[in-house]
Amino acid sequence: MLGPLLSEEVFMAKKTTTVFYCQECGHESSKWMGQCPACKQWNTFVEEKVNVANSKITPFREAGKPVKISSVSMREEERVHTGIAELDRVLGGGIMPGSLTLVGGDPGIGKSTLLLQMCRLLANAGRKVLYISGEESLKQIKLRAVRIGDFQDSMLLLCETNLGVVEETIRHTEPEEATNVFLQLAKGMGTSIFIVGHVTKEGTVAGPRVLEHMVDTVLYFEGDRYASYRILRGVKNRFGSTNEIGVFEMRKEGLIEVENPSEYMLSGKPVGASGSVVVCSVEGTRPILIEIQALVCRTNFGIPRRQTTGTDFNRVNLLMAVLEKRLGMQIGDCDAYVNIAGGMKINEPAIDLGLIMAIVSSFKNRAVDEKTIVFGEVGLSGEVRAVSMAQQRVQEARKLGYETVILPRVNLDGMDRIEGIRVIGVGGIGEAIDVI
């Protein structure tokens, strides 16, 4: 009897069991706990009954055999274009068939709206799409869909939290794209799956970190839910470059692509104000001009206050120490506030020189020329070090009408001349301050 049993899948009977999970981070436990071991929050565990669905005994398979690397096919799989250029950019050119993508972000940031817009465009293009929600009713999804536009009948909806029902539905409908379900279905059926994940207070996806290791792509939605801008960032991508970003604007009809993020980020920049400097950062393969704002003033307290928004707090303190030690600038007893305008979060070393210039501009109360941008990494000796993609950064500045670029001198070697813009190389922060 053993042979026939192993020649086909054998399903065990379903049974109901009880689990406890943390409402804060999603950590699961077989028993109730007063404090969550994952997020350390108290009294967050709640009880839920679940079905242990379809435990399977799978047939034995022949052991895999090693093959020569030269015999492995390199045929490029055709990607599925979503109809949203910014999303395709972050995904590496479109959806890879059979891929599993995790989309994380704060509540209300626009995750479901973006995926619903993507599903609409795919369905209208004739593809079969299944949208599964465990937190919204069909009427709630419909109300949001009406604001976005018209949907075709190839767009299917399901409201369900039971994973066994969800798996059976996906196998039965065999969609080309599905939302909110799992890895073995994606790889086994060639179905592209998107999972929506909420984040904890620390900004990481709730639940075990193993989830991020299992999926092919991890996308984070950033921005203030009360502001109009949204930034979609790829932090993991097995099929494309990481740290690529897409920029969107939230309107009543949904998320609208921002085709020129540099122009969008610089809108509203003050004219003739000290402490304001434009720098060029590279996100993935895209150069973006952003404004750095600094406010430096004498403190009224015993310990100066330092605050940063959009960049690393410790990096700003380090650069202020470099200014005081290398240039003798007495700012140790000053309050300092630094902000990356537009809601971007930038930690690239290339903005170091811009941070320095903004702090010095505010401290001396002298405005930096409106048509000048700066970029470069700053070392502890006050030297300005080389950065990557200097040519592309200068071209982006010229495209937006800037006339002068201050950059590391070592980047001048190998750069092609660009008409219509003056390029000045500096070797240290003292030279950069003298130029400005």
mmCIF file of all heavy atoms in Angstrom, residues 21 124 134 150 178 207 270 301 324 347 403:
data_model
loop_
_atom_site.group_PDB
_atom_site.id
_atom_site.type_symbol
_atom_site.label_atom_id
_atom_site.label_comp_id
_atom_site.label_asym_id
_atom_site.label_seq_id
_atom_site.Cartn_x
_atom_site.Cartn_y
_atom_site.Cartn_z
ATOM 1 N N TYR A 21 -1.801 36.254 18.576
ATOM 2 C CA TYR A 21 -0.894 37.099 17.801
ATOM 3 C C TYR A 21 -0.903 38.524 18.347
ATOM 4 O O TYR A 21 -1.891 38.999 18.910
ATOM 5 C CB TYR A 21 -1.258 37.094 16.319
ATOM 6 C CG TYR A 21 -2.521 37.831 15.954
ATOM 7 C CD1 TYR A 21 -2.481 39.168 15.572
ATOM 8 C CD2 TYR A 21 -3.755 37.201 16.002
ATOM 9 C CE1 TYR A 21 -3.629 39.857 15.246
ATOM 10 C CE2 TYR A 21 -4.914 37.883 15.674
ATOM 11 C CZ TYR A 21 -4.838 39.205 15.299
ATOM 12 O OH TYR A 21 -5.977 39.894 14.974
ATOM 13 N N ASN A 124 -7.890 46.278 -17.439
ATOM 14 C CA ASN A 124 -8.325 46.986 -18.646
ATOM 15 C C ASN A 124 -7.478 46.613 -19.856
ATOM 16 O O ASN A 124 -7.894 46.798 -21.002
ATOM 17 C CB ASN A 124 -8.287 48.495 -18.423
ATOM 18 C CG ASN A 124 -9.347 48.963 -17.440
ATOM 19 O OD1 ASN A 124 -10.201 48.174 -17.030
ATOM 20 N ND2 ASN A 124 -9.310 50.229 -17.069
ATOM 21 N N GLY A 134 -8.291 41.246 3.217
ATOM 22 C CA GLY A 134 -8.671 40.691 4.508
ATOM 23 C C GLY A 134 -9.118 41.740 5.491
ATOM 24 O O GLY A 134 -9.414 41.422 6.650
ATOM 25 N N ASP A 150 -13.078 53.401 -14.233
ATOM 26 C CA ASP A 150 -13.883 52.245 -14.621
ATOM 27 C C ASP A 150 -13.037 50.978 -14.611
ATOM 28 O O ASP A 150 -11.854 50.983 -14.971
ATOM 29 C CB ASP A 150 -14.475 52.456 -16.012
ATOM 30 C CG ASP A 150 -15.434 53.640 -16.053
ATOM 31 O OD1 ASP A 150 -16.074 53.893 -15.015
ATOM 32 O OD2 ASP A 150 -15.523 54.299 -17.105
ATOM 33 N N ALA A 178 -2.276 38.547 -8.662
ATOM 34 C CA ALA A 178 -3.135 38.464 -7.487
ATOM 35 C C ALA A 178 -2.565 39.330 -6.382
ATOM 36 O O ALA A 178 -1.370 39.572 -6.341
ATOM 37 C CB ALA A 178 -3.248 37.015 -7.002
ATOM 38 N N GLY A 207 5.576 41.806 11.791
ATOM 39 C CA GLY A 207 5.692 40.363 11.662
ATOM 40 C C GLY A 207 7.143 39.910 11.602
ATOM 41 O O GLY A 207 8.072 40.714 11.695
ATOM 42 N N PRO A 270 12.420 79.057 -1.061
ATOM 43 C CA PRO A 270 12.521 80.500 -0.811
ATOM 44 C C PRO A 270 13.634 81.141 -1.626
ATOM 45 O O PRO A 270 14.646 80.509 -1.934
ATOM 46 C CB PRO A 270 12.812 80.576 0.687
ATOM 47 C CG PRO A 270 13.463 79.264 1.019
ATOM 48 C CD PRO A 270 12.800 78.260 0.120
ATOM 49 N N PHE A 301 19.971 77.613 26.302
ATOM 50 C CA PHE A 301 20.038 76.581 27.338
ATOM 51 C C PHE A 301 21.484 76.139 27.539
ATOM 52 O O PHE A 301 22.376 76.512 26.773
ATOM 53 C CB PHE A 301 19.162 75.377 26.937
ATOM 54 C CG PHE A 301 17.744 75.750 26.651
ATOM 55 C CD1 PHE A 301 17.317 75.970 25.356
ATOM 56 C CD2 PHE A 301 16.825 75.894 27.688
ATOM 57 C CE1 PHE A 301 16.013 76.306 25.084
ATOM 58 C CE2 PHE A 301 15.524 76.244 27.435
ATOM 59 C CZ PHE A 301 15.100 76.459 26.135
ATOM 60 N N GLU A 324 33.878 72.920 13.152
ATOM 61 C CA GLU A 324 34.476 73.580 14.324
ATOM 62 C C GLU A 324 35.964 73.274 14.436
ATOM 63 O O GLU A 324 36.764 74.159 14.754
ATOM 64 C CB GLU A 324 33.743 73.125 15.584
ATOM 65 C CG GLU A 324 34.117 73.922 16.825
ATOM 66 C CD GLU A 324 33.055 73.842 17.900
ATOM 67 O OE1 GLU A 324 32.106 73.059 17.736
ATOM 68 O OE2 GLU A 324 33.174 74.561 18.900
ATOM 69 N N ASN A 347 20.234 59.616 2.989
ATOM 70 C CA ASN A 347 21.419 59.324 3.794
ATOM 71 C C ASN A 347 22.662 59.146 2.926
ATOM 72 O O ASN A 347 23.696 58.690 3.415
ATOM 73 C CB ASN A 347 21.195 58.064 4.636
ATOM 74 C CG ASN A 347 20.184 58.290 5.751
ATOM 75 O OD1 ASN A 347 20.234 59.297 6.451
ATOM 76 N ND2 ASN A 347 19.256 57.360 5.903
ATOM 77 N N GLU A 403 23.183 77.115 -13.129
ATOM 78 C CA GLU A 403 24.315 77.657 -13.879
ATOM 79 C C GLU A 403 25.666 77.243 -13.327
ATOM 80 O O GLU A 403 26.668 77.268 -14.044
ATOM 81 C CB GLU A 403 24.226 79.192 -13.905
ATOM 82 C CG GLU A 403 22.940 79.699 -14.570
ATOM 83 C CD GLU A 403 22.780 81.203 -14.419
ATOM 84 O OE1 GLU A 403 23.607 81.824 -13.693
ATOM 85 O OE2 GLU A 403 21.843 81.772 -15.014
#
